[in-house]
Amino acid sequence: NRRLALNWEGSRIPLLQAVPAGDTQATQSAAERAKKELITLIDTLEPGSALPSERVLSERLEIARMTLRHAVDELTLAGKVSRRRGSGTYVAESKLLCRITPDGLDIDPASPGPGFGHVHVVRDCVEADEQVANELSIAQGDLVLHIGRLLLVDHRPFGLVSRHIPIARLAETPGAPSALRWFTERTSRVDTRIQLSTATPAEARLLDLSQVQPMLAWHRVALDDKDVPLERTRVLARGDRVVLDMSDH
């Protein structure tokens, strides 16, 4: 390589370095090199394995921490790694084949794998925010029953189900344990949509993830025969773990 320099008061000051054509190693950006090196490392590790700390990786790859952080962000969005709050960065775990159910999300029973479970994290009467009110065709501030469940695989969270039912509609039911059957029998139509999303700070804390983690968001609004909403369900699932089975069974 050749360097261009300027002589100033007896001192030689380098201006730039000429790079021979075709030298892809030299022209490759530091971020691209960091990403490539990380992928090579990830391919040698088992799913769920912890990556070395940022300091160790920075020294090993001889890359600035800011550049390394940017590369990890890109791999997180690509679903190659996941960040756990206060714990570090891990190789993405094995995929889970899941089915959408009226009550949220379930692991496909035909797919062998880890144990599935859930835990209730909230069950409370709250005021509907703007989004919930719009989807349920009620006034903002109207009371709704909010039921939140954290979905677990081998005791680790991978999804969050949030269900909102207008108190006015709940008052029409015969009460537990027949309420669920009442909603099912009166559901005439269901509006659903699936989209890519990110978790809110509160959802990220529950899922033990960073907010940049890719998520699948599934929205479902059940309506009666008069097209009046009965309930609204939102499922947030880790995009690096969940594969949706959309086939008919």
Side-chain angles (χ1 to χ4, degrees):
N1 294 349
R2 293 177 298 169
R3 293 180 182 274
L4 298 181
L6 172 68
N7 287 318
W8 178 262
E9 296 182 349
S11 298
R12 184 177 173 83
I13 303 173
L15 297 179
L16 58 86
Q17 180 177 4
V19 180
D23 190 349
T24 55
Q25 181 73 21
T27 57
Q28 187 181 45
S29 74
E32 290 172 339
R33 183 169 71 84
K35 189 175 175 181
K36 184 177 179 179
E37 294 280 2
L38 286 171
I39 290 175
T40 300
L41 173 62
I42 289 168
D43 289 342
T44 67
L45 300 174
E46 293 293 327
S49 299
L51 266 62
S53 69
E54 187 179 273
R55 180 184 61 80
V56 171
L57 284 174
S58 178
E59 293 175 356
R60 181 186 299 180
L61 302 179
E62 298 181 345
I63 293 173
R65 287 197 180 189
M66 186 64 71
T67 303
L68 180 65
R69 204 168 294 141
H70 178 71
V72 172
D73 282 344
E74 289 191 5
L75 293 176
T76 300
L77 289 172
K80 294 286 188 181
V81 298
S82 64
R83 281 174 167 163
R84 300 178 190 172
R85 296 174 62 88
S87 178
T89 304
Y90 293 77
V91 179
E93 296 168 279
S94 57
K95 299 292 185 181
L96 301 169
L97 183 61
C98 297
R99 293 179 182 175
I100 290 175
T101 68
D103 195 35
L105 199 67
D106 199 359
I107 292 180
D108 193 322
S111 177
F116 171 75
H118 72 265
V119 59
H120 281 89
V121 291
V122 62
R123 187 183 182 92
D124 201 5
C125 185
V126 299
E127 294 183 354
D129 60 24
E130 183 178 4
Q131 183 179 5
V132 171
N134 287 339
E135 293 188 7
L136 291 175
S137 298
I138 59 178
Q140 186 174 346
D142 280 0
L143 294 179
V144 294
L145 176 64
H146 179 207
I147 303 171
R149 292 186 297 119
L150 194 62
L151 305 179
L152 308 171
V153 167
D154 283 350
H155 309 292
R156 282 198 51 77
F158 78 95
L160 185 65
V161 179
S162 184
R163 188 178 180 189
H164 292 88
I165 304 172
I167 292 298
R169 300 311 307 258
L170 198 61
E172 301 174 31
T173 72
S178 306
L180 181 60
R181 185 171 67 249
W182 184 92
F183 277 97
T184 302
E185 291 173 349
R186 279 159 180 75
T187 298
S188 177
R189 183 171 65 84
V190 175
D191 286 342
T192 61
R193 71 179 189 276
I194 299 174
Q195 65 189 60
L196 291 175
S197 182
T198 55
T200 66
E203 291 169 336
R205 284 194 296 273
L206 284 171
L207 292 167
D208 192 24
L209 296 172
S210 68
Q211 284 184 256
V212 298
Q213 194 78 26
M215 308 294 289
L216 283 174
W218 172 66
H219 299 261
R220 175 185 185 271
V221 177
L223 303 101
D224 62 18
D225 55 1
K226 296 180 180 177
D227 253 11
V228 177
L230 289 163
E231 60 177 322
R232 174 249 198 197
T233 303
R234 177 176 182 261
V235 179
L236 196 66
R238 285 176 51 180
D240 65 323
R241 292 223 64 189
V242 170
V243 175
L244 290 180
D245 181 4
M246 305 298 290
S247 60
D248 296 328
H249 293 276

